[in-house]
Amino acid sequence: MSDLDTIDAAILRILQQHGRMSNADLAAKVGLSASACSRRVDILEKSGVISGYHARLSNKALDYKMMVIVHISLSGQFAKTLAEFETAVKRCPNVLVCYLMSGEYDYILRVAAKDLEDYERIHRDWLSALPHVVKINSSFALREVIDRPNVGL
Amino acid sequence: MSDLDTIDAAILRILQQHGRMSNADLAAKVGLSASACSRRVDILEKSGVISGYHARLSNKALDYKMMVIVHISLSGQFAKTLAEFETAVKRCPNVLVCYLMSGEYDYILRVAAKDLEDYERIHRDWLSALPHVVKINSSFALREVIDRPNVGL
DNA sequence: CGTGAAAGGGTTCACTC
DNA sequence: GAGTGAACCCTTTCACG
């Protein structure tokens, strides 16, 4: 697709960490003029390398202190079964990540909860209520070692 | 901590999706004047509810098409063992997420790779080389159903 | 790709309700 | 806490070298 040179990589590295840095500051950091820098960022956005800019919220500040990894098995692998499950799981706001997996389990989920009581509620009202589920396995995260949105450049 | 009213929630919801929206536009969207909106955003940033702004890069555009969930067990749970493992795992740029877990496995990792060959290299050069590892279990993601950075408000 | 200038818009005050 | 208006600063974006 688009070949990234050293300067592009530098731009991406900085914008990953400081998504609201002004173009003028960014240009200075990567050693370009403002116009040249703006042109490059524009290309990176339009080519889809930069898919968007987002404020990151502190789960802790919002009182979401628990992270739970949930493994789920369904009663079959029919397309209709998967589609119904996925439609339902998308409705649960506490599910941050959901992947269809190969291997022993069908889906793996990452679920945020305020505390154990909150997770019990989520498990009861949301997870157990998902269609076609035959097995649920919850593992609790004791500590977050790494959490980055993208691969290091 | 800080109580969030309806307007704060709206601000967070918008900034989550459009991290580079100008304060003027944001104020219009939530029905506030620019100054009032700026004051609120300032408070949200300083109180830590907004922990930062980040450009999101498309893993696909960067040719990272594979997502692998890796379960890892160590030879013990001594603090020194865990610390050594964590120091080493942080050096691998392909590891996006790493949690210390309760339950059967000690750690769960989310690893990005360009393709199967790339993952073989990562597995050989990084994962297998991590200290104190006694068991590695790789599961490949077939499809991404959900991937949001934060809990829906 | 860099420069420079013009134009437009954004942020941030002090002040008021 | 929220709105107004104005000043100032900064950013973006041209055309051109």
Side-chain angles (χ1 to χ4, degrees):
Chain A
M1 196 162 278
S2 49
D3 282 317
L4 304 176
D5 61 15
T6 316
I7 297 180
D8 285 324
I11 289 175
L12 293 176
R13 218 179 304 120
I14 293 171
L15 248 27
Q16 244 184 77
Q17 301 299 326
H18 308 282
R20 260 192 121 141
M21 182 177 287
S22 73
N23 180 63
D25 287 352
L26 181 61
K29 287 241 179 197
V30 301
L32 280 182
S33 68
S35 61
C37 186
S38 175
R39 276 194 287 261
R40 279 172 181 263
V41 172
D42 216 47
I43 293 171
L44 291 170
E45 288 172 353
K46 282 177 180 152
S47 69
V49 175
I50 296 176
S51 65
Y53 298 89
H54 306 276
R56 183 164 204 183
L57 310 187
S58 159
N59 280 324
K60 263 173 274 165
L62 292 172
D63 264 335
Y64 285 92
K65 291 167 184 152
M66 278 193 110
M67 205 56 84
V68 188
I69 305 295
V70 183
H71 294 79
I72 288 181
S73 291
L74 302 192
S75 58
Q77 292 264 10
F78 301 111
K80 188 158 171 287
T81 305
L82 302 183
E84 286 171 2
F85 172 85
E86 292 177 16
T87 302
V89 79
K90 281 180 188 163
R91 289 209 195 91
C92 178
N94 296 82
V95 176
L96 302 183
V97 176
C98 174
Y99 274 106
L100 174 65
M101 302 297 297
S102 69
E104 188 186 348
Y105 286 89
D106 290 322
Y107 287 96
I108 191 163
L109 279 63
R110 182 172 164 190
V111 180
K114 286 180 188 289
D115 48 39
L116 195 53
E117 189 186 334
D118 190 36
Y119 184 68
E120 284 176 23
R121 178 190 60 78
I122 296 164
H123 192 282
R124 170 169 32 84
D125 296 350
W126 287 101
L127 305 182
S128 299
L130 292 168
H132 313 297
V133 169
V134 294
K135 197 156 100 185
I136 300 186
N137 196 307
S138 304
S139 305
F140 297 89
L142 303 176
R143 178 154 38 90
E144 178 184 300
V145 180
I146 303 175
D147 187 3
R148 10 172 196 261
N150 284 105
V151 180
L153 297 174
Chain B
M1 197 159 280
S2 49
D3 283 316
L4 305 176
D5 62 15
T6 316
I7 297 181
D8 286 324
I11 289 175
L12 293 176
R13 218 178 306 118
I14 293 172
L15 248 25
Q16 243 184 77
Q17 301 300 326
H18 308 283
R20 256 191 125 144
M21 183 177 286
S22 74
N23 179 63
D25 287 352
L26 181 61
K29 287 241 179 199
V30 301
L32 281 181
S33 68
S35 60
C37 186
S38 174
R39 277 193 288 262
R40 280 173 180 262
V41 172
D42 217 47
I43 292 170
L44 290 170
E45 289 171 355
K46 281 176 181 153
S47 70
V49 176
I50 295 176
S51 65
Y53 299 89
H54 307 275
R56 182 163 205 185
L57 309 187
S58 159
N59 281 323
K60 266 173 272 166
L62 291 172
D63 264 335
Y64 285 93
K65 292 166 186 154
M66 279 193 108
M67 206 55 87
V68 188
I69 305 295
V70 183
H71 294 79
I72 288 181
S73 291
L74 301 192
S75 57
Q77 291 264 13
F78 301 112
K80 188 157 171 289
T81 304
L82 301 184
E84 285 172 2
F85 172 86
E86 291 177 16
T87 302
V89 80
K90 281 179 189 162
R91 290 208 193 91
C92 179
N94 296 81
V95 176
L96 302 183
V97 177
C98 175
Y99 275 106
L100 175 65
M101 303 298 298
S102 68
E104 188 187 348
Y105 285 88
D106 290 323
Y107 287 96
I108 191 164
L109 280 62
R110 182 173 164 192
V111 180
K114 286 180 188 288
D115 49 37
L116 195 54
E117 189 186 334
D118 191 35
Y119 184 68
E120 284 177 22
R121 177 189 60 78
I122 296 164
H123 192 282
R124 171 171 31 88
D125 295 350
W126 288 101
L127 305 183
S128 299
L130 291 170
H132 312 298
V133 170
V134 294
K135 197 155 98 183
I136 300 185
N137 196 306
S138 305
S139 306
F140 296 88
L142 303 176
R143 181 155 35 91
E144 178 184 300
V145 179
I146 303 174
D147 188 3
R148 1 173 202 260
N150 285 104
V151 179
L153 299 172

